[in-house]
Amino acid sequence: MKEQGNTQHSLLKILIALLLLAAAFFGYRHFFPTRVVTVGFIYDNDETAPYSYNFYLAQETVQKTYQDKVRTVMCSNVLDEHIHLAVEKLAAGKCDIIFTNSYGNIRDLAPRYPHIQFCQASFDPVPKEAPANYHTFKGEVYQGRYASGVVAGLKLKEMIQKGKIRPEEAKLGFVAAFPYPEVISGFTAFLLGARSVVPQTVMYVKYTNIWDSYTLEKACAEELLEEGCVILSQHSDTVGPAIACEESYAKDVYHVGYNIDMTDAAHHTSLAGTRINWTPYILGAVKAVMDNKPIEKTVAGTVHPNQDMSAGFKENWVEMTRLNTAVLPEEAQEQLKETIQNLRDGKVQVFRGDYTGVNPNDPKDTIDLRSGFTENKDSSVSSFHYILKDVVTVLQ
C-alpha cells in the first residue's frame, strides 16, 4: 500500500510539474509574443512599373513566406531627392530592415538609424567607409542578356535559312536609357549571345536619356526598325519598344523584353526576355534579421567587398521570362536550357572574342577582348563600358 501511495504521489508531482511548465510556456507567449520583423520597401516608381514590379513580387513573397512573422510596408513613387522623407516615415514605423531600388542616397542616411539594416539595389561601387548597416545587391544580368541574345540569334538564323533576310541583314536594335556601364554591358552581352549563333550580327543603339518614357522609347524603336533592324531589345522601363514591334509584325520584326514578360503586349513578335529576380536576396536578408545573423553570411551568392553581393543563374538571381514558342524555332527551348546551364557552370566567358572595345567618353581607352573580361568580378555594379568597334553603331 505504501509503494502504491508513493507511486501516486510521484505521478501527482509529475502532473503538477507539467501543468506549471505549460502555464509558464503559455504565459511567456502571452507576455512575450514572437517578434514580428517589420520590412520596409522604397520604390522609385509605382509598383506596377516594370522595374519596380519585380521588387513588389519579392515583397509579396516575403509576406507569403514568413506570414505573421513579418509586417511589410512600402513607399512608392519616391523621388531620389525625397528619399530621406521615406526613410523617416519607415523608421518611425519601427522598420527593422529597408530595401530600396532608388538612386537616392541611402548610404549617408544609414548611420542615423543604426538599428535598421539598409539594402539598396546597387548602382555605384560601395566605398570602403560604408556604414556597417548598409548593404548593396544586384543580379548579374549580363548572363540573362547573353542568354536572350542566343534566343535572338536562333531567330535570326531561322530567318536567314528561310530566305527572309540575308546574313548581312542580321541587325539587332537596342533602345537604351543612358550610356551607363550597366546598360552598355547589357546590350553588349545581348549582341555577343546573338553572334554566338549568327557571327555576322551587328547592333544599332538609340539612347532615350530617360528611364521611363513610353512615347520616346516607342519612337526610338521605330527609328531602329526604319534603320533595318529586325529584332529589338531594350534597357528602358516601358513596353513602348515591344508595341512598336507588334505594330510592325507584318514586316517580320521581333522583340526581346526586359524586366517583365512582354508577350501579352506583343504576342505576335515577342521572343523571350530576361529579368533580375530580387526575391532570393530579399528573402535571405529578412531571414538574417529574424535570426540576428549577418546578411552576407545568410544569403547565397557572391560576396564582394563592403557588404556588396551579386549572383546570376546559378543562385536564381537572374531568370528568363516566357519563351514564345509560337514564333521561335523548335530548337530554341533546348538551346536556351543548354546556354543557361553553361552559364551556371562557368563554361561561358561572355565578354571574350576577337573584338576591340572603345570607351565612348575617351577614345584612347580601349580593351582587347581576345584575353577576355570578367563582369561583376569585384562588385555587383556592372563595369563593362566599351562600345565594340565595327559591330555596334550608336545612332544620334
Side-chain angles (χ1 to χ4, degrees), residues 35 87 91 95-98 106-118 131-135 289 292:
R35 178 193 176 200
V87 171
C95 276
D96 299 289
I97 184 169
I98 295 174
I106 287 285
R107 187 175 65 242
D108 290 347
L109 293 172
R112 302 182 195 176
Y113 309 93
H115 59 288
I116 301 175
Q117 297 299 315
F118 290 88
N133 61 332
Y134 177 74
H135 314 262
V289 170
N292 196 29

Side-chain angles (χ1 to χ4, degrees), residues 194-267:
R195 285 177 68 89
S196 72
V197 182
V198 179
Q200 300 93 332
T201 306
V202 296
M203 173 183 282
Y204 290 80
V205 176
K206 185 78 177 176
Y207 289 110
T208 63
N209 294 305
I210 188 172
W211 285 116
D212 186 349
S213 172
Y214 174 88
T215 302
L216 187 54
E217 290 170 39
K218 187 169 183 283
C220 287
E222 289 167 347
E223 289 183 43
L224 289 167
L225 293 175
E226 287 296 321
E227 193 68 36
C229 298
V230 292
I231 298 178
L232 303 188
S233 190
Q234 64 184 89
H235 192 148
S236 55
D237 287 352
T238 81
V239 296
I243 297 299
C245 289
E246 189 68 7
E247 291 176 353
S248 303
Y249 82 92
K251 300 178 182 178
D252 275 327
V253 296
Y254 299 93
H255 180 263
V256 174
Y258 184 54
N259 278 327
I260 61 170
D261 179 7
M262 297 185 178
T263 309
D264 291 338
H267 62 276

